[in-house]
Amino acid sequence: MKQIKSICLLLMLALLPLPMMANEQQDGELNIPEIVLEHLADAYEWHIASYNGKHLSIPLPIIIRSSQTGNWHFCTEHSLPDGFFFNQDAHGKIYERMSDGTIERPLDLSITRNVLQIWIVVAVLLAVFLSCARWYKKRNERSEAPGGFVGAVEMLVMMINDDVIKSSIGEKHYRPYAPYLLTVFFFIFITNLVGLLPVFPGGANVTGNINITFFLALCTFLAVNLFGNKEYWKEILWPDVPIFLKAIPIMPVIELFGVFTKPFALMIRLFANMMAGHAVIISFTCVIFLGWSMGVAFGVGLNLFSALMLLFMNALELLVAFVQAYLFTMLSAVFIGLAHKEHHAE
C-alpha cells in the first residue's frame, strides 16, 4: 500500500506542470522548442500557471542602474522605466536605449527566479543543519545514536566526509577542505531536488544554468591551485620525464592545459545533465497537448505514453539529483587530493 501511495504521489507531481502549459498552445500549434527554452531560462518573474489567457505569476524586484544617467531604478517586470526594454535577442535580458539610438546592457542586480531559488535553498539548508545542531547540543557522547531525520542527515554527512573526502584527499590534508566540499554537496543536492518541484517554491533551473556551475567549478579550481603543494606544481612545470621532453616543453604545456580542463569538465557535466533532465520532462509534458491536437485517438495513446515517461523521468531525476552532487564532490576531492601529493623518494 505504501508503494502504491508513493507511485501515485510521484505521478501527481509529474503531471502538475499540465495546468501551467494549458494556455501555451495557440491557434492549434504548439512550439515545443520555444516552450522548453522559456521554462529553462531565467526570468524576472516566477510564472505559476496560465488560464484563459491570464497569467498567474509572482513579480520579482528589478534593480538596474542606468548607463546613461547613473540613476538606480527599482521596479518590476510590468513597470520598467522609460528607455529600458526586454531584449528577446539576448534571452529576454533588460537593455537600455541610449540617446544616440544604440542599446547597452545596464548594471543589473535584479532578484531573478534563479537568484530567489538559491535563497530558498540556502534557507532550507540553514533550517536543516541548525535543527540538527540543536539536537546535538542537547546530547553528549553517551547519548544514543540519532534516528529519523537527524539520523538520515548524519548518515549523508558521514558518508561524504569519510568515504569521499577523507579517502580522496588523505588523512593529513582533508580537514580544511571538508566544510567546502560538504557545503557543495548539499547545495547541489538540495538545489536539484527543489528544482524538480513543478510549482513554487521549486521548478527553477539553477544547476542547469551554466553561470552557477561555472562559479562552483571556479571555487574548486581555486581550492586546487591556490593551495597545491610544491610537489603538485613540480609535476606540472618540471615533470619526471626523459630529458628531451623537458628540452621541448611539451609536457608542461599539456599539464597546464589539464589544470583548466578539469574544472571545465566539472562545469559542463553538472550543467548538461541537469539541463537535459529538465528539458526531457518538459518535452514529454508538451507531447500530451500535441497528441490532443492530432485527435482523440492520438491524444489517449500519447497521454498514456507521456504519463508513464513523466513518471519514469521524475524517478530517474531523483537519482540523478544525488548522483550529480556526489560526482561533483568526489571529483573535486580527487583534484584537491592530487594537489597534495607527497614526494616519494626512489
Side-chain angles (χ1 to χ4, degrees), residues 214-274:
F214 168 77
F215 178 76
L216 293 174
L218 178 63
C219 291
T220 297
F221 172 81
L222 295 176
V224 170
N225 295 285
L226 289 182
F227 305 106
N229 60 17
K230 62 181 181 179
E231 187 67 21
Y232 167 72
W233 288 107
K234 177 182 176 298
E235 289 191 0
I236 292 176
L237 302 175
W238 195 254
D240 293 328
V241 294
I243 192 64
F244 68 90
L245 289 178
K246 293 181 179 180
I248 304 174
I250 298 177
M251 292 303 296
V253 172
I254 295 175
E255 291 292 339
L256 282 173
F257 185 71
V259 168
F260 296 97
T261 55
K262 289 174 184 176
F264 180 79
L266 285 177
M267 174 184 70
I268 296 298
R269 179 183 288 105
L270 179 60
F271 158 72
N273 280 281
M274 300 314 302

Side-chain angles (χ1 to χ4, degrees), residues 5-215:
K5 289 181 179 179
S6 299
I7 293 174
C8 292
L9 178 61
L10 190 56
L11 181 60
M12 181 181 68
L13 290 175
L15 297 178
L16 267 176
L18 295 181
M20 305 178 202
M21 295 185 178
N23 265 21
E24 298 282 0
Q25 186 176 3
Q26 297 178 356
D27 301 326
E29 296 181 359
L30 190 67
N31 191 338
I32 294 180
E34 181 180 346
I35 293 174
V36 171
L37 292 176
E38 178 184 349
H39 283 266
L40 291 179
D42 200 3
Y44 292 96
E45 66 174 5
W46 202 303
H47 182 264
I48 297 176
S50 299
Y51 183 73
N52 288 338
K54 297 181 179 180
H55 300 283
L56 175 62
S57 60
I58 301 174
L60 300 176
I62 293 177
I63 307 170
I64 48 178
R65 181 179 183 275
S66 172
S67 300
Q68 185 165 320
T69 64
N71 296 330
W72 287 94
H73 298 277
F74 301 87
C75 56
T76 63
E77 188 176 27
H78 305 290
S79 59
L80 277 181
D82 294 337
F84 295 91
F85 66 98
F86 295 102
N87 190 348
Q88 299 305 322
D89 295 331
H91 307 289
K93 298 298 183 182
I94 296 177
Y95 274 72
E96 181 181 8
R97 194 173 303 279
M98 312 302 286
S99 57
D100 58 359
T102 60
I103 59 174
E104 288 188 11
R105 180 93 163 92
L107 179 60
D108 191 349
L109 301 180
S110 304
I111 309 302
T112 62
R113 183 172 59 182
N114 284 347
V115 173
L116 181 58
Q117 182 78 93
I118 292 174
W119 288 3
I120 292 172
V121 170
V122 170
V124 170
L125 289 174
L126 287 174
V128 168
F129 288 104
L130 289 178
S131 63
C132 292
R134 191 178 302 112
W135 188 93
Y136 283 104
K137 190 176 181 180
K138 298 177 182 178
R139 269 75 175 178
N140 55 41
E141 63 276 4
R142 295 184 179 180
S143 302
E144 61 180 10
F149 177 74
V150 177
V153 173
E154 180 181 315
M155 178 194 68
L156 274 176
V157 170
M158 297 302 294
M159 181 188 70
I160 299 301
N161 184 74
D162 296 344
D163 299 338
V164 176
I165 300 174
K166 185 187 295 186
S167 61
S168 299
I169 300 178
E171 184 74 28
K172 292 183 179 180
H173 307 289
Y174 85 95
R175 290 185 182 276
Y177 302 99
Y180 161 68
L181 293 172
L182 285 169
T183 301
V184 166
F185 171 79
F186 281 99
F187 173 78
I188 296 176
F189 183 44
I190 299 300
T191 301
N192 291 346
L193 291 181
V194 174
L196 290 176
L197 297 175
V199 293
F200 183 84
N205 186 36
V206 175
T207 46
N209 186 315
I210 200 166
N211 296 310
I212 304 299
T213 59
F214 168 77
F215 178 76

